[in-house]
Amino acid sequence: MAFRIRIRTMARRTLRELRAPTRLRVPKRLGVPTRPRVPGPPWPVMTRKALSAALLLLIAAAILVSCAGSGQRDPVETAAGKPLSISVFAQQDSTFDLKTNDFSRLLEEKFNFSFDWQTVPYIGAKQKRQISLASGNYPDAYILTSYIDQFSQADVLRYGKQGVFYPLNDLIDRFAPNIKAAFARDPWLKELSTAPNGAIYGLPAFSDCFHCSYPYKLWIHTKWLDRLGLSMPRTTEELRDVLYAFKTRDPNGNGIADEVPLSGSVEDFGVRVLPYLMNGFVYDDDQTYLTVKDGKVRLSPATPEWKEGLAYVKSLYDEGLIDAGAFTQDVEAYRRLGENEEAQILGAGTAMHPAIFVDTGPDNERGSDYNPVPPLKGPHASYAVYYRSGITPGAKFVITDKASPEARETLIRIADYLYTPIGQANAEVGMEGVDWRLPLPGEVALGPDSKAEFARIPVKEGEPSRNSGWAGMGHFYMPKEYRDSWTQDMDIYSPNGYERRLYEASELYQGHESPELYPSWAIWLDPDVVDELGMLQANVRNEVDQSAMQFITGQKDLNEDWTAYVLRLNELGADRYLEIMQQAYDEWSRSNAGSAVR
């Protein structure tokens, strides 16, 4: 009976492919047959007798193919004999539909199953994800977008120990040769994915993004430097001189003192002004606020060097060299400053990349005006904020205990496919011939020693969504070799040269990592203390941020109020925060001597 069902299914699929539109053409190298190009619908020119004969031939062909054991896999069925359907929780925005998405369909054909999507918008995704888990009616798997809402390490450990997340170790060993090979090539990836008890409860989004590793960069208007006969600043005091010239010497030439020498925002993506400036005095990661020296964990914002750094930033603020909005405005307000219609007024801005605050597209001349300032040499340091590959620990892909054995095998095979360069390209960017193509002769890869393997097909202005790839949700495995193999123009100011521009900018920051880094990306925290730690860290961070702004703007006095500020940190649990993080560091250090994550 099951054999007859498979024959009927194959015959229906073959007929369906003859009727199907020809828009989606999947390359044969993916193991999925390319749909034939039919000049027109065949049915009007076929008689009923001819159609019946054709159907019999198709069924006979299906039987022969099945008996011959071709490369096509039979449709996966559950133990109950039903076609396999896999429920997946995911986020999607208004630009694509996972149900009709080309990559979703490719996976369904390649692995012979169907997705049952449980989608939520990006806004409120974390809360909806938690609700789905708390309800007990959660799906077979979660495939998340790392920068929206991937599971934290604490989540992974908590739900893994509870049995909600199914351990992947055996599945990887049996069905995922590409993941196994990636773990062997990059021990850090395996350590990042493996809990202290040895279980792999999920996979993180691994994107070895060089420029993301140095998020806090300063971009300065170099045409203004040239116009005023100034050199690129190299020290904290040279920056003061440049900003003062921007404020007083009318570099935009409109005869009005409307220039804003330096600005930023209070959000993420490296836009906060204080971390860039503070790193000339003491290391500020703008995340944990921790450093480690001689095995001892300390809190940077409670040190004399932090106080000295605040005094420097306050002096810039008092001279009108830092925009007051840098400590209060969101990114949209920051961008309006960079895109000011009447005149170009922004002299310098902090950001991971300049497109955050100014249009870098081909039709905007301002985009090429801003170039990176190296880490400034201050009285005590010349550090750059560094996050290991820009990767957030945790998991974007987990399989739950709801998944059947058949679903678990299929899901890990899907993840394994995304650990291949072509699978990752299709997931991240879209389909070959639609969103990417093979490079042309003379096109150059991003990496200086890399071979060009992929080239993007740009989206034309006004073109509707192609709904072809998964975008950020498809970020599974993008090692440096993969990222470096995409073509980039040698002209760093061209639309297809932007990644090279960021690559070259980051080379200025490479080598400025603090030797006192706290390896927050590598340390697994005990779930029993995570809630307490979250509250402590939030309290300490809020006090540090709020007090820094008050000291800089003059609402608090650095001489009179500093002692009270340090005492306030302790009242809010700074000592307990340090105790937890010291214990976690000690445990990690003992078990990871010589670790690849150091």
Side-chain angles (χ1 to χ4, degrees):
M1 179 64 179
F3 181 65
R4 289 199 298 271
I5 291 173
R6 286 198 294 271
I7 292 173
R8 288 200 299 270
T9 302
M10 293 174 73
R12 284 198 298 269
R13 181 181 297 145
T14 307
L15 289 172
R16 190 166 59 245
E17 288 181 354
L18 284 173
R19 291 191 180 108
T22 61
R23 182 174 63 87
L24 174 59
R25 291 184 58 81
V26 182
K28 290 183 179 179
R29 71 169 69 100
L30 302 179
V32 183
T34 303
R35 287 175 176 160
R37 288 193 178 274
V38 181
W43 309 113
V45 297
M46 297 181 71
T47 65
R48 182 182 301 272
K49 184 180 293 186
L51 178 58
S52 298
L55 181 57
L56 288 173
L57 286 172
L58 289 167
I59 294 173
I63 294 172
L64 290 173
V65 169
S66 176
C67 294
S70 74
Q72 291 290 335
R73 299 176 61 205
D74 288 337
V76 177
E77 294 181 351
T78 64
K82 297 179 181 179
L84 181 62
S85 175
I86 300 177
S87 58
V88 176
F89 181 101
Q91 296 109 25
Q92 69 177 20
D93 65 12
S94 59
T95 62
F96 67 103
D97 182 353
L98 287 171
K99 293 181 181 179
T100 60
N101 182 270
D102 287 343
F103 184 64
S104 299
R105 288 176 168 178
L106 183 151
L107 293 177
E108 289 176 327
E109 290 196 32
K110 184 173 178 63
F111 296 102
N112 296 314
F113 76 103
S114 63
F115 279 115
D116 175 15
W117 291 108
Q118 299 178 12
T119 59
V120 297
Y122 287 166
I123 298 175
K126 183 176 182 179
Q127 291 78 7
K128 292 180 175 66
R129 184 203 73 192
Q130 290 304 103
I131 290 171
S132 78
L133 279 169
S135 70
N137 187 29
Y138 45 83
D140 298 327
Y142 289 81
I143 304 179
L144 307 177
T145 302
S146 60
Y147 51 83
I148 300 295
D149 185 32
Q150 82 167 14
F151 291 106
S152 68
Q153 279 185 324
D155 291 330
V156 171
L157 208 52
R158 177 188 296 114
Y159 294 117
K161 288 184 173 181
Q162 291 175 1
V164 175
F165 291 172
Y166 189 87
L168 306 181
N169 304 59
D170 184 58
L171 292 173
I172 291 172
D173 190 55
R174 294 170 61 197
F175 306 117
N178 295 302
I179 296 177
K180 284 179 67 176
F183 283 174
R185 282 192 304 269
D186 193 338
W188 179 56
L189 172 60
K190 185 174 183 179
E191 291 181 29
L192 189 69
S193 308
T194 306
N197 63 2
I200 300 173
Y201 294 118
L203 298 174
F206 187 82
S207 176
D208 199 351
C209 174
F210 178 53
H211 84 85
C212 305
S213 300
Y214 304 93
Y216 286 89
K217 302 181 182 73
L218 178 64
W219 302 85
I220 200 164
H221 199 311
T222 46
K223 289 183 180 178
W224 283 11
L225 290 178
D226 294 340
R227 193 171 298 160
L228 299 178
L230 301 170
S231 300
M232 180 69 74
R234 301 287 176 177
T235 69
T236 51
E237 288 308 310
E238 286 179 5
L239 178 66
R240 181 198 304 277
D241 295 339
V242 166
L243 297 179
Y244 185 78
F246 283 177
K247 177 179 173 62
T248 61
R249 294 174 58 187
D250 192 26
N252 66 11
N254 66 353
I256 304 171
D258 55 355
E259 287 82 0
V260 176
L262 172 61
S263 193
S265 171
V266 295
E267 297 186 24
D268 293 322
F269 313 111
V271 292
R272 288 155 63 89
V273 168
L274 186 60
Y276 177 82
L277 298 175
M278 184 61 74
N279 273 290
F281 297 83
V282 63
Y283 186 62
D284 172 16
D285 70 351
D286 197 42
Q287 192 175 71
T288 66
Y289 293 124
L290 300 176
T291 59
V292 184
K293 186 174 183 180
D294 300 326
K296 179 72 173 178
V297 179
R298 69 171 186 168
L299 189 66
S300 286
T303 63
E305 293 87 355
W306 186 274
K307 179 181 179 182
E308 190 176 349
L310 288 178
Y312 166 74
V313 179
K314 174 176 169 51
S315 70
L316 298 182
Y317 180 85
D318 289 344
E319 294 180 54
L321 306 183
I322 299 180
D323 174 31
F327 305 104
T328 57
Q329 67 192 1
D330 60 18
V331 169
E332 290 303 315
Y334 184 22
R335 190 174 181 85
R336 286 195 296 271
L337 192 65
E339 290 291 315
N340 184 63
E341 292 185 6
E342 290 75 17
Q344 194 169 7
I345 61 174
L346 182 61
T350 45
M352 180 185 290
H353 54 89
I356 291 174
F357 63 83
V358 66
D359 186 356
T360 57
D363 299 326
N364 193 318
E365 296 180 358
R366 295 183 183 182
S368 62
D369 292 342
Y370 296 90
N371 289 286
V373 182
L376 298 174
K377 182 174 177 54
H380 307 294
S382 180
Y383 295 145
V385 178
Y386 175 74
Y387 301 153
R388 176 68 161 84
S389 297
I391 295 171
T392 303
K396 66 159 283 102
F397 171 82
V398 298
I399 299 174
T400 74
D401 60 341
K402 301 286 188 181
S404 67
E406 298 88 352
R408 294 197 293 266
E409 177 183 340
T410 300
L411 283 163
I412 202 65
R413 289 186 185 276
I414 289 172
D416 191 62
Y417 173 58
L418 270 70
Y419 267 64
T420 67
I422 290 177
Q424 180 59 83
N426 288 332
E428 174 204 3
V429 179
M431 307 310 298
E432 181 178 3
V434 178
D435 299 278
W436 65 271
R437 56 174 174 77
L438 298 178
L440 301 174
E443 290 186 314
V444 182
L446 169 65
D449 301 317
S450 301
K451 178 184 176 183
E453 300 285 357
F454 303 96
R456 291 178 183 266
I457 299 175
V459 177
K460 297 178 181 178
E461 187 175 353
E463 180 182 349
S465 170
R466 294 170 177 171
N467 195 32
S468 185
W470 280 359
M473 179 183 147
H475 292 178
F476 270 67
Y477 182 59
M478 296 188 288
K480 187 176 187 298
E481 311 87 72
Y482 168 80
R483 293 185 65 100
D484 284 359
S485 70
W486 284 82
T487 62
Q488 280 282 294
D489 289 350
M490 296 304 293
D491 178 3
I492 64 173
Y493 301 109
S494 69
N496 193 44
Y498 192 65
E499 183 84 4
R500 189 179 301 281
R501 182 179 178 186
L502 303 183
Y503 193 103
E504 292 180 2
S506 299
E507 289 179 322
L508 299 175
Y509 289 71
Q510 190 175 31
H512 288 264
E513 303 85 3
S514 170
E516 300 177 359
L517 280 172
Y518 186 92
S520 57
W521 56 81
I523 291 177
W524 290 77
L525 295 164
D526 185 341
D528 292 339
V529 301
V530 164
D531 291 339
E532 178 189 9
L533 179 65
M535 180 185 67
L536 293 170
Q537 192 170 30
N539 288 342
V540 169
R541 182 181 178 113
N542 288 339
E543 180 64 24
V544 168
D545 289 352
Q546 184 176 357
S547 292
M549 183 183 70
Q550 291 172 333
F551 282 129
I552 291 167
T553 59
Q555 299 173 56
K556 286 184 177 180
D557 186 276
L558 272 169
N559 293 319
E560 295 179 3
D561 299 320
W562 177 260
T563 301
Y565 154 73
V566 174
L567 290 173
R568 173 68 175 159
L569 286 175
N570 291 331
E571 291 171 0
L572 291 170
D575 289 343
R576 173 60 178 156
Y577 173 50
L578 286 172
E579 179 185 2
I580 293 173
M581 300 304 278
Q582 179 75 59
Q583 181 179 1
Y585 176 81
D586 291 343
E587 292 176 359
W588 171 82
S589 189
R590 281 193 298 269
S591 60
N592 289 275
S595 165
V597 299
R598 285 181 177 272

